[in-house]
Every structure is written in C-alpha cells, then in structure tokens.
Amino acid sequence: MGYKDQIDLSKLPQHIAIIMDGNGRWAKEKGKLRIFGHHNGVLSVRDVVEGSCDVGLKYLTLYTFSSENWNRPKLEVMAIMELMVSTIHKEIDNFMKKNVRLNAIGDLAMLPERCFKELKNAIDKTAGNTGLVLTLALSYSSRREIINAVKQIAGKVQAGTLSIDDIDEEVFDNNLYTSGMPDPELLIRTSGENRISNYLLWQIAYAELYFTTKLWPDFRKEDLFEAILDYQKRERRFGLISEQVN
C-alpha cells in the first residue's frame, strides 16, 4: 500500500507550505551549474502540485524566491526569472485542466516587468478556478510582510478609521499578504536544513514542522504524501493537554 492510500482524507491539512531547498546542491553533486538544479526543481513542483490535487488539498504555498535571493549572482537571478516566465507560460493549460488557481505573495513590484506580466496573466486566467490555490512566495520576506502590515494598521489608526483598542489577531491577519487564506498546518522543508528562513513567521505559529534530507529536485508527490501521513500521526493540542483534545 502506497503512502497516498494510507492518508485519512478527512484529516487532511487545509494548507501546506513548502520551503523548496537544495536545487543548487543537487546540481553541484552532479557537476552541473546551479540553474540545472532549478530546472529540475520545476519537475518537482509539477509533481507536488499534481499530488496536492490528487488528495484534494485546498492550499499549497511554495517559497519560490526570497527577498534575500536578489543578492545571488546576477546571472543566476536572471536565469531564475527567465525560468519562471517560461514555466508559468507552459503550466497555464495544466492549471486550467487541474482547476488550480494561481496566486502570488511578496514584493511583486521587484520582479522584472516581463516576469510580472506573465505572472499576472496566469493569475487572471486561473482566477475562476475552484480547486487547489497554489501560492508562489516571490521576492518574499516575512519580516517585511509584518512591517508592511504594521504600517497599514498604523495608517488606519492615524486616519481615524481604526481604533487601537480594536487591533487584534484578526485585524493583523487581514493586513498580511495571506489575508483570506487559512494558516498552514504543515510546513515542509527539504535538503536537511532545520530552519524557517524568514518564511510565513506569523502564519506558522501552530504549524507542524517536517524536515527531510531530500534535496528539492528529488522530492516527489510520494514524499508529500509521506509528510502528510507523518502530520496525521501527530497530536495537535494548541496549548491544551491530551485529554482535552481526544
């Protein structure tokens, strides 16, 4: 019996977030340029999206390009942007077929114009789809997101449209890039690194963390299913004791 057949679909997490790490190391191990790893990482994205659709996952958020990644060698950044443009263009038909709605969060204004236009076109074209919401975190920094939310809330207080006494978690949530999305219940990171790397810091407050030594280009939907099974074996208490949640 495969991992997928063991999954209890009634206990599926609504939202899974993934830190896709290890493309460069994967390429280096094979004596190739780093961009070779990024190209093969696209295959993993396609397979994981397919697996997410197979089990009926509602939200999948992928850490695609961080704000810190702009500091990488210029040629690598340019190659990643070109890869992103071509991949999004190629995948639109598949998104429509799979009923996937594309979304993006981050400082999207930092993206090259061609990349931004291709992304916006795909988001607009898939806007009516009702299946998996696939969110790409692009030029994304969780700290910047939080600062941006604070600024928005402060502006509303200054304008007199929001009282300080009315600021709560819901108000803060509504001013994040992820407004309207449920918080991730499961965060997966590949490549053996055990850190969060400035990703969805507010949103993963109660997420289960799953770390695997597999490099991202080797990660497939069976690995996703294994992570979901591991999640389903855990007891989620939210500050309570076992007797209160069972």
Side-chain angles (χ1 to χ4, degrees):
M1 183 184 293
Y3 291 126
K4 179 186 173 185
D5 297 323
Q6 299 176 56
I7 292 174
D8 183 347
L9 297 180
S10 68
K11 295 180 180 179
L12 198 70
Q14 279 196 88
H15 187 176
I16 295 177
I18 303 180
I19 300 175
M20 307 180 294
D21 194 19
N23 288 344
R25 273 169 283 168
W26 186 87
K28 188 176 180 180
E29 286 178 1
K30 290 171 170 45
K32 303 283 188 178
L33 295 174
R34 292 176 59 85
I35 191 61
F36 181 74
H38 297 307
H39 274 278
N40 281 272
V42 169
L43 302 179
S44 296
V45 171
R46 186 178 296 134
D47 203 59
V48 166
V49 168
E50 185 176 299
S52 299
C53 293
D54 289 345
V55 295
L57 185 68
K58 293 181 179 178
Y59 295 87
L60 176 66
T61 301
L62 304 178
Y63 204 178
T64 309
F65 192 86
S66 74
S67 58
E68 292 82 6
N69 287 155
W70 291 113
N71 297 318
R72 289 188 175 186
K74 188 176 180 180
L75 284 176
E76 180 180 353
V77 171
M78 289 173 60
I80 291 173
M81 290 298 124
E82 284 299 315
L83 175 62
M84 197 179 306
V85 168
S86 63
T87 301
I88 291 172
H89 183 75
K90 290 176 184 175
E91 291 299 317
I92 288 180
D93 287 344
N94 195 39
F95 290 158
M96 297 306 293
K97 181 181 176 183
K98 293 283 186 181
N99 197 27
V100 173
R101 178 160 66 89
L102 187 65
N103 182 39
I105 58 173
D107 188 1
L108 304 181
M110 289 286 293
L111 297 175
E113 185 178 2
R114 182 162 166 256
C115 185
F116 179 80
K117 284 183 177 179
E118 194 67 54
L119 177 65
K120 187 177 185 305
N121 177 59
I123 289 173
D124 290 345
K125 190 167 183 180
T126 62
N129 291 347
T130 57
L132 173 72
V133 177
L134 172 62
T135 300
L136 306 181
L138 292 164
S139 191
Y140 176 83
S141 159
S142 186
R143 286 181 173 182
R144 286 189 190 177
E145 178 184 25
I146 290 169
I147 290 170
N148 182 65
V150 170
K151 287 180 177 178
Q152 288 189 61
I153 292 169
K156 292 171 185 176
V157 172
Q158 191 175 42
T161 58
L162 179 66
S163 166
I164 288 179
D165 293 333
D166 291 332
I167 298 172
D168 56 15
E169 290 186 15
E170 183 179 359
V171 168
F172 199 83
D173 277 336
N174 290 337
N175 284 276
L176 294 171
Y177 298 146
T178 52
S179 176
M181 296 167 58
D183 289 339
E185 292 106 325
L186 174 61
L187 172 70
I188 299 170
R189 180 166 188 153
T190 60
S191 87
E193 301 290 353
N194 299 328
R195 57 179 179 268
I196 305 305
S197 296
N198 197 14
Y199 185 46
L200 301 174
L201 299 178
W202 171 274
Q203 296 90 334
I204 62 168
Y206 284 100
E208 297 295 327
L209 307 183
Y210 180 89
F211 300 105
T212 173
T213 57
K214 276 200 173 182
L215 302 177
W216 179 247
D218 290 326
F219 195 90
R220 290 293 184 270
K221 58 185 173 184
E222 275 300 305
D223 301 298
L224 173 69
F225 299 152
E226 184 178 7
I228 293 172
L229 272 176
D230 182 87
Y231 163 86
Q232 292 187 340
K233 292 173 183 175
R234 301 186 190 186
E235 183 179 69
R236 290 172 57 73
R237 296 192 297 272
F238 301 98
L240 304 177
I241 62 174
S242 297
E243 289 76 8
Q244 290 176 291
V245 296
N246 291 326

